[in-house]
Amino acid sequence: MHNPFTPVATVPVDPRTARVHEEGWQSWSPSGAYALGDTPHRPTNDNWATVCYRPGVTVPAGTFQGEGLLALDPGDGSPVRLWAAPDPQHSVPSIRLTVHGDQAEISADGPVKLFTGTDIQSVLADWAAGFGVPAPRPAPTVWCSWYEYFTDVTEDDIHENLRAMDTLDLPIDVVQIDDGYQSKLGDWLTLSGRFRSRAGIADAIRARGRRAGIWTAPFLVDPSSELAATRPDWLVRDADGAPLHAGVNWGHDLYALDTTHPEAAAYLVEVFSTLRTEGYDYFKVDFLYAGALDGVRHSGADPLTAYREGITLIREAIGDDAYLLGCGAPILPSIGLFDAMRVSADTAPYRRPKADDFSQPGQDAAEFTGVGRQWQHSRLWINDPDCLMARPAVETRERWAAHVEATGGLMASSDRLLSLDEWGVTTTRRLLSGVAR
C-alpha cells in the first residue's frame, strides 16, 4: 500500500537548462537525466510495468518520478539537489517533480533527506560513497552463452566455445552457462535434455584453467514446474490466496518463491550449495524483482525484508569467496549484497527496444541507463553494462563495444566465438584484457 504524496520543496529553475535525474526501481527500469521538456520513459504495457518497473506504481503524465532517489540541477548556477531515501535498503519512497513555470515542485510518499552538490552524477556518487560499502573486488572476465544461444544452449555449445577460447587466446576467467540448462524455472537441479551433466561441464571448464559460472532466476517459479505442482505452499500468495502473478516471460505466466517459508528457504540453500559443490563459483542471479513483490508470505515479512533475507540465504550457501552478480534486481534494496550488479536493460543485436520501451532489450536502452547509473560503479558494486557482442551480425557493434569499454565495469563476451571476424576477435581480446584504446 502506497502512502499519499506530500510536498517536500519548491525550487526555482531555468526551464531551458535544468535537468532531472530519475532513479528507476530495478536493474531494467530506465534511469537517467532529462531536460524539463522531455517525456520520461514509461512502461508501454501492463506486463512490462510488473516485470521491469516498480509494480503497482503509476506515474501521472507530466511528472518526473524517482524510486528512492531524484536529483535536480536547477540550471541557474545554484547547487544540484538530491532527495534520497534515509534507509533505502528497507524503505524506498517514490519522489516526484512537477514543473510550473519557473518553479519545480517536489513531493514524496515517504521520508526523504536533502543532499547538495555540483552536478548530478557527483552528488549521486557522494551519496553512494556515504554508505561505506567495502570496495568491491575486481570482476573476473566472463564468457556467457546467452546472447548467442539463448534458451537453446547445449552442453556441446559450451565445449565448442571452451576450445575456441584457447584457439583464439582470449583472457576469459569464467565460463558462465546461462538459461537453458534447467528443465523448468524452479526445478533448478533437474537438467533439460540439452545437458548431460552439470557437474561434468563444470569439471571440463575447470580442467581448462577457467572458472565455472551459472545462471539462475531463484525467486521465479514456472507454474508447470514440479515445484509448483508438489509444493504450492512455497509460493507467494495474493490477497485472495491464489499464487501471486509475477508477470509473463518465456511465453508463460510466472509465480514467486516464498523464501520466508522454512522449507522453501531450505530448498533455496540446497540449490546453491549443490551448485557450489559441483564446482560453480560465479553466480548470476536474475529476475530478482520477484523476491520483492508485494504479496502474502509465510512469515508475514514485508517485501524488502524478505528480498534481502533471500539474497542472504544465497550468499551463505555459496560462500563469501564466490562471485555474485545481480540482475533484474531492486537497486537500492540491494546495497551491500552483491559483488556486481546489472545497471541497465538488456542489450540486443539491434539498437531500438520493442515499442520504444527503454526497459526492453536494445542497445539504446542499455546505453541510456548504463550512463545514468555510472555513479554506482565501484561505490556500491561493480557495474555490469551487459555483454559485449562483437560478431558481424550485430548492429552498430563498434558503438556498443565503445559503451561497454567506457563503463570500466564487468567485461563479458557473449558471441559464438568461432563466428567472430578479425575485428571481433581483436576487440573482444582487447576489452577482456583491459587494454585502453
Side-chain angles (χ1 to χ4, degrees):
M1 188 67 108
H2 297 283
N3 298 319
F5 282 80
T6 58
V8 170
T10 300
V11 180
V13 295
D14 184 336
R16 300 166 301 172
T17 54
R19 293 185 69 78
V20 179
H21 172 91
E22 292 186 340
E23 184 61 30
W25 172 243
Q26 55 121 304
S27 299
W28 307 320
S29 308
S31 298
Y34 302 90
L36 296 190
D38 291 344
T39 300
H41 297 295
R42 297 290 180 255
T44 56
N45 66 48
D46 290 343
N47 183 57
W48 292 343
T50 296
V51 175
C52 301
Y53 293 80
R54 190 170 193 174
V57 174
T58 301
V59 184
T63 302
F64 294 98
Q65 180 164 309
E67 303 304 336
L69 294 172
L70 185 138
L72 169 66
D73 180 345
D76 59 4
S78 62
V80 169
R81 277 83 158 176
L82 170 65
W83 292 273
D87 183 18
Q89 292 151 309
H90 301 96
S91 179
V92 183
S94 296
I95 308 165
R96 288 180 175 171
L97 183 148
T98 56
V99 181
H100 306 279
D102 60 357
Q103 301 287 313
E105 303 285 347
I106 295 85
S107 60
D109 67 357
V112 296
K113 292 180 68 175
L114 175 64
F115 300 82
T116 60
T118 56
D119 63 77
I120 287 174
Q121 284 283 311
S122 67
V123 73
L124 286 163
D126 289 346
W127 178 82
F131 278 93
V133 174
R137 59 185 133 174
T141 57
V142 180
W143 179 86
C144 167
S145 63
W146 178 248
Y147 284 108
E148 182 72 60
Y149 303 100
F150 298 96
T151 56
D152 293 329
V153 65
T154 69
E155 187 166 325
D156 290 340
D157 294 326
I158 305 301
H159 284 292
E160 179 198 277
N161 283 280
L162 269 173
R163 293 190 295 270
M165 291 169 204
D166 291 342
T167 301
L168 299 173
D169 191 26
L170 295 175
I172 292 169
D173 300 321
V174 173
V175 177
Q176 184 231 306
I177 303 168
D178 213 280
D179 188 7
Y181 68 89
Q182 79 287 351
S183 61
K184 300 278 186 181
L185 301 175
D187 298 339
W188 300 109
L189 299 181
T190 305
L191 290 174
S192 70
R194 293 178 297 278
F195 280 75
R196 297 177 289 275
S197 169
R198 205 175 39 244
I201 192 65
D203 287 344
I205 292 168
R206 296 166 69 202
R208 289 183 176 267
R210 307 186 196 274
R211 296 166 57 186
I214 199 160
W215 174 95
T216 60
F219 301 143
L220 285 184
V221 178
D222 185 331
S224 68
S225 65
E226 182 180 356
L227 187 152
T230 61
R231 297 311 309 252
D233 53 323
W234 291 5
L235 303 175
V236 180
R237 298 281 157 174
D238 64 22
D240 296 324
L244 181 71
H245 189 243
V248 176
N249 203 48
W250 300 277
H252 59 75
D253 291 328
L254 303 169
Y255 293 158
L257 184 69
D258 180 3
T259 57
T260 74
H261 190 295
E263 293 177 0
Y267 170 70
L268 187 70
V269 170
E270 178 193 1
V271 166
F272 283 92
S273 298
T274 299
L275 294 174
R276 185 64 206 267
T277 299
E278 290 176 345
Y280 295 91
D281 70 353
Y282 176 99
F283 296 86
K284 179 180 177 181
V285 285
D286 206 349
F287 290 81
L288 296 180
Y289 75 89
L293 291 171
D294 288 333
V296 179
R297 290 174 167 82
H298 179 83
S299 74
D302 67 89
L304 297 190
T305 297
Y307 168 73
R308 289 184 63 86
E309 289 177 351
I311 299 298
T312 299
L313 287 172
I314 293 170
R315 172 56 82 184
E316 290 173 350
I318 64 176
D320 289 339
D321 57 332
Y323 203 86
L324 188 60
L325 164 64
C327 187
I331 289 291
L332 300 189
S334 295
I335 293 172
L337 298 177
F338 293 92
D339 296 297
M341 176 62 70
R342 169 72 71 74
V343 292
S344 70
D346 281 12
T347 188
Y350 46 83
R351 292 221 63 88
R352 299 302 294 181
K354 292 179 181 177
D356 267 352
D357 187 316
F358 268 46
S359 72
Q360 295 304 293
Q363 294 170 33
D364 285 342
E367 286 181 13
F368 173 79
T369 299
V371 169
R373 285 184 168 148
Q374 189 63 22
W375 58 274
Q376 297 176 7
H377 180 55
S378 293
R379 297 179 181 89
L380 301 180
W381 36 60
I382 297 295
N383 280 12
D384 171 19
D386 209 4
C387 296
L388 171 69
M389 293 182 294
R391 57 190 182 269
V394 173
E395 185 179 329
T396 61
R397 59 178 178 165
E398 296 87 353
R399 176 174 163 182
W400 175 246
H403 167 73
V404 172
E405 183 175 20
T407 68
L410 190 150
M411 294 290 169
S413 165
S414 195
D415 292 298
R416 177 176 179 248
L417 295 173
L418 293 181
S419 74
L420 295 174
D421 59 5
E422 183 178 356
W423 184 91
V425 171
T426 300
T427 300
T428 300
R429 184 183 296 121
R430 180 169 56 78
L431 265 63
L432 293 174
S433 301
V435 179
R437 286 183 292 178

